Amino acid sequence: GELGVTYTAASSTFSARLFVSKVRNLITWSETIPGSYIYTPMNIDRASMAGLTLGYEGQWGPVKVAAFVDHLDPRNATEGSANHDKLLPRRARNQARLSADVDLGAWSVGAGLQARSHRYDDAANTRRLAGYAVADLNAQWQFQRDWSLGARLNNLFDRQYETAWGYNQPGRELHVTLRYSPR
């Protein structure tokens, strides 16, 4: 179930969403042999996820901003299980996303920040994955009616982090795009 409210005034929108999900036979990943980094699918008979999302989106002149904060309580709800009431694997309890984009006519520039709290890689909650924050930058130049050149710098500060144990995420990356979009 989900209950939400949205309020819009002028060029700003505020939102709040409260949700609860009950899941049967949730498939997740489990390490076959501890320390092996070999994972197989694992079934969690019953899981529950409850949370709250708060959001803001607005525009001030040429600047668009967005901010979202999520709080999640993802639990193993299987009665009698050794992992009953433990947090579900690889699900952060808290996360936030911020972004700002500026439209300057032929040019647009933007920045984003994404942060997640710690989470666990295993159903027993013994292998903790650290929280992280990652910043990104982007720019685009519309140099012809149908042509644009874009650049995106991901993980600006070269943050080292894992979303699964033993699998580092990419460091700083630069992507350049030449796009043709006929109108």
Side-chain angles (χ1 to χ4, degrees):
E2 180 177 325
L3 178 64
V5 67
T6 301
Y7 174 75
T8 301
S11 60
S12 295
T13 300
F14 301 89
S15 62
R17 300 271 182 268
L18 185 62
F19 59 90
V20 177
S21 296
K22 304 284 183 187
V23 181
R24 288 183 179 210
N25 299 315
L26 177 71
I27 297 174
T28 188
W29 293 96
S30 175
E31 198 170 26
T32 309
I33 301 167
S36 69
Y37 300 111
I38 298 171
Y39 292 86
T40 56
M42 175 182 115
N43 187 55
I44 296 176
D45 290 338
R46 295 180 189 271
S48 69
M49 292 171 261
L52 173 67
T53 299
L54 301 174
Y56 171 79
E57 293 179 281
Q59 184 156 356
W60 305 317
V63 181
K64 286 184 186 178
V65 295
F68 294 92
V69 176
D70 299 311
H71 174 72
L72 177 66
D73 189 26
R75 299 275 174 183
N76 183 329
T78 307
E79 295 285 337
S81 163
N83 297 321
H84 177 258
D85 208 34
K86 302 262 175 133
L87 295 173
L88 295 174
R90 299 184 184 166
R91 286 172 173 81
R93 294 194 71 195
N94 299 296
Q95 63 182 2
R97 298 175 310 279
L98 304 170
S99 66
D101 294 289
V102 182
D103 184 352
L104 303 168
W107 285 89
S108 64
V109 294
L113 178 67
Q114 177 182 171
R116 290 201 167 99
S117 65
H118 80 275
R119 64 235 171 275
Y120 294 94
D121 192 56
D122 62 332
N125 291 181
T126 58
R127 185 175 286 161
R128 185 175 188 208
L129 297 169
Y132 62 91
V134 178
D136 303 318
L137 298 174
N138 64 76
Q140 183 170 297
W141 174 39
Q142 187 84 36
F143 62 90
Q144 291 283 324
R145 183 179 147 220
D146 299 337
W147 289 90
S148 64
L149 181 64
R152 180 168 188 85
L153 183 60
N154 294 336
N155 197 355
L156 174 65
F157 301 109
D158 200 24
R159 174 80 163 98
Q160 299 293 311
Y161 67 100
E162 298 172 311
T163 55
W165 185 266
Y167 291 90
N168 291 330
Q169 294 301 300
R172 185 180 304 117
E173 298 177 310
L174 175 63
H175 299 267
V176 177
T177 305
L178 177 62
R179 181 171 291 134
Y180 174 68
S181 301
R183 297 176 197 196

PDB file of all heavy atoms in Angstrom, residues 100-113:
ATOM      1  N   ALA A 100      20.810  19.923  -9.453  1.00  0.00           N
ATOM      2  CA  ALA A 100      20.536  21.282  -9.921  1.00  0.00           C
ATOM      3  C   ALA A 100      21.006  21.360 -11.370  1.00  0.00           C
ATOM      4  O   ALA A 100      22.107  20.919 -11.697  1.00  0.00           O
ATOM      5  CB  ALA A 100      21.268  22.309  -9.075  1.00  0.00           C
ATOM      6  N   ASP A 101      20.149  21.896 -12.222  1.00  0.00           N
ATOM      7  CA  ASP A 101      20.460  22.058 -13.640  1.00  0.00           C
ATOM      8  C   ASP A 101      20.112  23.478 -14.051  1.00  0.00           C
ATOM      9  O   ASP A 101      19.072  24.011 -13.648  1.00  0.00           O
ATOM     10  CB  ASP A 101      19.661  21.064 -14.483  1.00  0.00           C
ATOM     11  CG  ASP A 101      20.077  19.633 -14.200  1.00  0.00           C
ATOM     12  OD1 ASP A 101      21.196  19.261 -14.595  1.00  0.00           O
ATOM     13  OD2 ASP A 101      19.289  18.894 -13.573  1.00  0.00           O
ATOM     14  N   VAL A 102      20.974  24.075 -14.863  1.00  0.00           N
ATOM     15  CA  VAL A 102      20.780  25.452 -15.316  1.00  0.00           C
ATOM     16  C   VAL A 102      20.690  25.461 -16.835  1.00  0.00           C
ATOM     17  O   VAL A 102      21.580  24.956 -17.522  1.00  0.00           O
ATOM     18  CB  VAL A 102      21.943  26.368 -14.853  1.00  0.00           C
ATOM     19  CG1 VAL A 102      21.690  27.801 -15.295  1.00  0.00           C
ATOM     20  CG2 VAL A 102      22.141  26.283 -13.356  1.00  0.00           C
ATOM     21  N   ASP A 103      19.613  26.058 -17.364  1.00  0.00           N
ATOM     22  CA  ASP A 103      19.420  26.193 -18.801  1.00  0.00           C
ATOM     23  C   ASP A 103      19.881  27.589 -19.210  1.00  0.00           C
ATOM     24  O   ASP A 103      19.303  28.590 -18.797  1.00  0.00           O
ATOM     25  CB  ASP A 103      17.941  25.997 -19.143  1.00  0.00           C
ATOM     26  CG  ASP A 103      17.685  26.019 -20.637  1.00  0.00           C
ATOM     27  OD1 ASP A 103      18.613  26.328 -21.424  1.00  0.00           O
ATOM     28  OD2 ASP A 103      16.542  25.727 -21.023  1.00  0.00           O
ATOM     29  N   LEU A 104      20.945  27.644 -20.025  1.00  0.00           N
ATOM     30  CA  LEU A 104      21.517  28.916 -20.461  1.00  0.00           C
ATOM     31  C   LEU A 104      21.350  29.109 -21.963  1.00  0.00           C
ATOM     32  O   LEU A 104      22.218  29.665 -22.631  1.00  0.00           O
ATOM     33  CB  LEU A 104      23.000  28.963 -20.082  1.00  0.00           C
ATOM     34  CG  LEU A 104      23.308  28.769 -18.590  1.00  0.00           C
ATOM     35  CD1 LEU A 104      24.796  28.548 -18.367  1.00  0.00           C
ATOM     36  CD2 LEU A 104      22.807  29.971 -17.805  1.00  0.00           C
ATOM     37  N   GLY A 105      20.246  28.633 -22.501  1.00  0.00           N
ATOM     38  CA  GLY A 105      20.014  28.742 -23.940  1.00  0.00           C
ATOM     39  C   GLY A 105      20.652  27.577 -24.662  1.00  0.00           C
ATOM     40  O   GLY A 105      20.240  26.449 -24.497  1.00  0.00           O
ATOM     41  N   ALA A 106      21.684  27.859 -25.450  1.00  0.00           N
ATOM     42  CA  ALA A 106      22.372  26.795 -26.174  1.00  0.00           C
ATOM     43  C   ALA A 106      23.173  25.895 -25.232  1.00  0.00           C
ATOM     44  O   ALA A 106      23.505  24.768 -25.576  1.00  0.00           O
ATOM     45  CB  ALA A 106      23.301  27.390 -27.230  1.00  0.00           C
ATOM     46  N   TRP A 107      23.458  26.379 -24.045  1.00  0.00           N
ATOM     47  CA  TRP A 107      24.221  25.625 -23.052  1.00  0.00           C
ATOM     48  C   TRP A 107      23.323  25.219 -21.886  1.00  0.00           C
ATOM     49  O   TRP A 107      22.423  25.961 -21.505  1.00  0.00           O
ATOM     50  CB  TRP A 107      25.367  26.466 -22.495  1.00  0.00           C
ATOM     51  CG  TRP A 107      26.517  26.610 -23.430  1.00  0.00           C
ATOM     52  CD1 TRP A 107      26.689  27.571 -24.374  1.00  0.00           C
ATOM     53  CD2 TRP A 107      27.650  25.763 -23.507  1.00  0.00           C
ATOM     54  NE1 TRP A 107      27.864  27.386 -25.050  1.00  0.00           N
ATOM     55  CE2 TRP A 107      28.479  26.277 -24.530  1.00  0.00           C
ATOM     56  CE3 TRP A 107      28.067  24.630 -22.827  1.00  0.00           C
ATOM     57  CZ2 TRP A 107      29.693  25.680 -24.880  1.00  0.00           C
ATOM     58  CZ3 TRP A 107      29.270  24.040 -23.173  1.00  0.00           C
ATOM     59  CH2 TRP A 107      30.061  24.570 -24.187  1.00  0.00           C
ATOM     60  N   SER A 108      23.619  24.078 -21.304  1.00  0.00           N
ATOM     61  CA  SER A 108      23.013  23.690 -20.030  1.00  0.00           C
ATOM     62  C   SER A 108      24.090  22.989 -19.204  1.00  0.00           C
ATOM     63  O   SER A 108      24.949  22.288 -19.754  1.00  0.00           O
ATOM     64  CB  SER A 108      21.798  22.786 -20.236  1.00  0.00           C
ATOM     65  OG  SER A 108      22.173  21.572 -20.826  1.00  0.00           O
ATOM     66  N   VAL A 109      24.068  23.240 -17.912  1.00  0.00           N
ATOM     67  CA  VAL A 109      25.029  22.630 -16.999  1.00  0.00           C
ATOM     68  C   VAL A 109      24.272  22.132 -15.780  1.00  0.00           C
ATOM     69  O   VAL A 109      23.200  22.636 -15.434  1.00  0.00           O
ATOM     70  CB  VAL A 109      26.146  23.613 -16.575  1.00  0.00           C
ATOM     71  CG1 VAL A 109      27.011  23.997 -17.755  1.00  0.00           C
ATOM     72  CG2 VAL A 109      25.578  24.836 -15.907  1.00  0.00           C
ATOM     73  N   GLY A 110      24.847  21.142 -15.116  1.00  0.00           N
ATOM     74  CA  GLY A 110      24.174  20.597 -13.941  1.00  0.00           C
ATOM     75  C   GLY A 110      25.118  19.842 -13.034  1.00  0.00           C
ATOM     76  O   GLY A 110      26.258  19.538 -13.396  1.00  0.00           O
ATOM     77  N   ALA A 111      24.610  19.574 -11.847  1.00  0.00           N
ATOM     78  CA  ALA A 111      25.364  18.812 -10.856  1.00  0.00           C
ATOM     79  C   ALA A 111      24.388  17.953 -10.070  1.00  0.00           C
ATOM     80  O   ALA A 111      23.214  18.303  -9.906  1.00  0.00           O
ATOM     81  CB  ALA A 111      26.112  19.750  -9.919  1.00  0.00           C
ATOM     82  N   GLY A 112      24.868  16.822  -9.593  1.00  0.00           N
ATOM     83  CA  GLY A 112      24.037  15.927  -8.797  1.00  0.00           C
ATOM     84  C   GLY A 112      24.847  15.296  -7.683  1.00  0.00           C
ATOM     85  O   GLY A 112      26.067  15.171  -7.782  1.00  0.00           O
ATOM     86  N   LEU A 113      24.170  14.942  -6.631  1.00  0.00           N
ATOM     87  CA  LEU A 113      24.783  14.256  -5.491  1.00  0.00           C
ATOM     88  C   LEU A 113      23.849  13.140  -5.080  1.00  0.00           C
ATOM     89  O   LEU A 113      22.641  13.338  -4.973  1.00  0.00           O
ATOM     90  CB  LEU A 113      25.002  15.223  -4.328  1.00  0.00           C
ATOM     91  CG  LEU A 113      25.587  14.633  -3.056  1.00  0.00           C
ATOM     92  CD1 LEU A 113      27.024  14.182  -3.292  1.00  0.00           C
ATOM     93  CD2 LEU A 113      25.532  15.657  -1.931  1.00  0.00           C
TER      94      LEU A 113
END
